[in-house]
Amino acid sequence: MNSGTDIGIGAIQVVLPDARVAVEDLPEFAMLDATAADFARSSGVRTVGVFDETEQAPLAARACRELFEAHPGEPDVLLMVAPRAPDVLLGSDACRVQSEAKLNSAFPFTVEGLGCTGSSTAWALARDLLIADPGREQIVIAHASRPTGVDRIRFPVTVVGDGAFAMTMVRGGRPVLRAHREQADGSFNDLFRVEYKETTWYEWREVCQDPSRYRFQLATLSSRRLGAMVEQVLADAGVGRDRIKTTLMQNVTASAYDFYTSLLGLPIHPVCGRNLAEYGHLGAADVVLNLDALLASGELDRGDLVLVLNNSPVAAWAVTLWEV
């Protein structure tokens, strides 16, 4: 996807907890077997942020309210990136966010089923919605991350913290979304699951059906897919690797940064590791948190190119090229 239309980010608001809990102080840590405990210790996560709130939609609505208090506007569409589990069944979390954030002009709907990659899909979809209808002025994207059930340690994946974001996509925004590619492999749809229908929420436990399939087959497939997609995105934008100023990705484990740096020959910016260590994995919010922190750092100049990688255990991948 590439176009001469300059559509980019209007504003970003990230909501993070003040309270932090060390990984080894999490209630479930004492119940882990030796392998899972070693994984948690070596994940690169030192602490996770914890909110008192028990539901995700109010956190996403808070992010929206704070964004529009700082940057007034009337969005045409609200894209809710779905959490790991909805707050309500049969109801609508997206409509709840619209109501609680008082975004009455925005038509709400949800991008669901893609895990962490949902945020990248949402900003590409927002761009397409603005191109498709010149009458639209602004799309807001929102997401809140909390663990499914009470456990935050997702062996063999990561350690989950709390957080939320809202961001707008507008004409003339910066950074400009220059190129984007995404893919998925539906055969991994049930690699992770929670049996929830016959248990109460505090008994929910996430189960990896086949840890070796996650660690080896999915990792190998992800390396091939992302490697090819990077080349496609650069070709779409008509730029070479030498033009990339830096690369960001989601925060899962510290070892993932080394893996993708070695695989792609593109060093992952240290801001990712710093946020992983302090806040843990924030689901679809990771790449937004990292991009926002990088933009605020003052390291980038106008025209610099930033590559953002995103993937998830449901086997969805996205690569986005942003121009500052």
Side-chain angles (χ1 to χ4, degrees):
M1 179 187 69
N2 198 7
S3 169
T5 303
D6 281 354
I7 292 175
I9 297 173
I12 296 174
Q13 181 67 35
V14 178
V15 176
L16 296 168
D18 293 325
R20 306 278 194 280
V21 177
V23 169
E24 294 190 31
D25 291 336
L26 291 171
E28 69 267 30
F29 187 86
M31 297 180 286
L32 299 176
D33 62 29
T35 301
D38 287 344
F39 163 79
R41 290 191 191 96
S42 63
S43 65
V45 182
R46 293 196 306 269
T47 61
V48 292
V50 178
F51 277 122
D52 291 335
E53 292 96 331
T54 58
E55 293 186 311
Q56 295 151 126
L59 289 176
R62 173 183 163 186
C64 290
R65 288 195 304 271
E66 292 181 3
L67 183 145
F68 287 108
E69 286 169 2
H71 306 277
E74 293 289 333
D76 301 285
V77 176
L78 163 64
L79 291 181
M80 176 83 172
V81 181
R84 295 176 181 86
D87 288 339
V88 294
L89 295 175
L90 195 63
S92 172
D93 289 352
C95 287
R96 182 179 179 186
V97 173
Q98 182 220 41
S99 176
E100 294 194 9
K102 296 181 169 51
L103 300 178
N104 299 324
S105 64
F107 179 77
F109 67 97
T110 299
V111 176
E112 194 272 337
L114 298 174
C116 312
T117 310
S119 51
S120 298
T121 299
W123 62 42
L125 178 58
R127 180 183 185 275
D128 291 348
L129 288 171
L130 289 170
I131 291 173
D133 186 349
R136 296 189 182 108
E137 296 294 332
Q138 187 177 85
I139 311 293
V140 60
I141 303 165
H143 171 73
S145 170
R146 286 182 56 82
T148 300
V150 297
D151 291 351
R152 294 180 179 274
I153 299 172
R154 296 179 62 200
F155 175 75
V157 185
T158 190
V159 185
V160 177
D162 294 346
F165 79 85
M167 62 180 286
T168 53
M169 294 288 291
V170 299
R171 293 179 178 82
R174 287 259 174 200
V176 177
L177 199 165
R178 282 299 178 209
H180 176 88
R181 291 272 182 158
E182 56 191 33
Q183 297 179 9
D185 183 334
S187 67
F188 289 86
N189 69 88
D190 62 349
L191 183 57
F192 292 85
R193 62 189 302 159
V194 175
E195 297 294 346
Y196 72 94
K197 290 187 177 181
E198 296 181 3
T199 57
T200 52
W201 71 270
Y202 51 82
E203 294 178 323
W204 289 358
R205 296 293 182 272
E206 181 176 334
V207 176
C208 179
Q209 306 295 320
D210 187 344
S212 64
R213 190 176 185 219
Y214 169 76
R215 287 171 166 163
F216 301 108
Q217 186 177 345
L218 181 57
T220 301
L221 183 59
S222 294
S223 66
R224 291 203 306 266
R225 292 289 187 100
L226 285 173
M229 291 165 66
V230 166
E231 298 307 319
Q232 291 168 341
V233 162
L234 296 179
D236 291 343
V239 300
R241 282 169 167 260
D242 59 313
R243 286 286 315 281
I244 299 173
K245 180 70 173 182
T246 193
T247 303
L248 302 174
M249 61 178 288
Q250 82 275 21
N251 305 331
V252 180
T253 61
S255 61
Y257 306 135
D258 297 332
F259 176 76
Y260 284 106
T261 294
S262 174
L263 167 73
L264 302 174
L266 297 169
I268 306 301
H269 194 281
V271 72
C272 301
R274 292 196 292 268
N275 285 331
L276 172 70
E278 186 171 1
Y279 300 109
H281 174 56
L282 304 182
D286 278 346
V287 291
V288 179
L289 169 64
N290 293 340
L291 182 59
D292 186 49
L294 179 63
L295 295 172
S297 71
E299 296 179 31
L300 303 178
D301 297 320
R302 191 176 179 90
D304 282 346
L305 298 180
V306 178
L307 195 68
V308 178
L309 315 176
N310 209 353
N311 65 356
S312 70
V314 298
W317 305 274
V319 177
T320 310
L321 186 69
W322 296 94
E323 180 184 332
V324 177

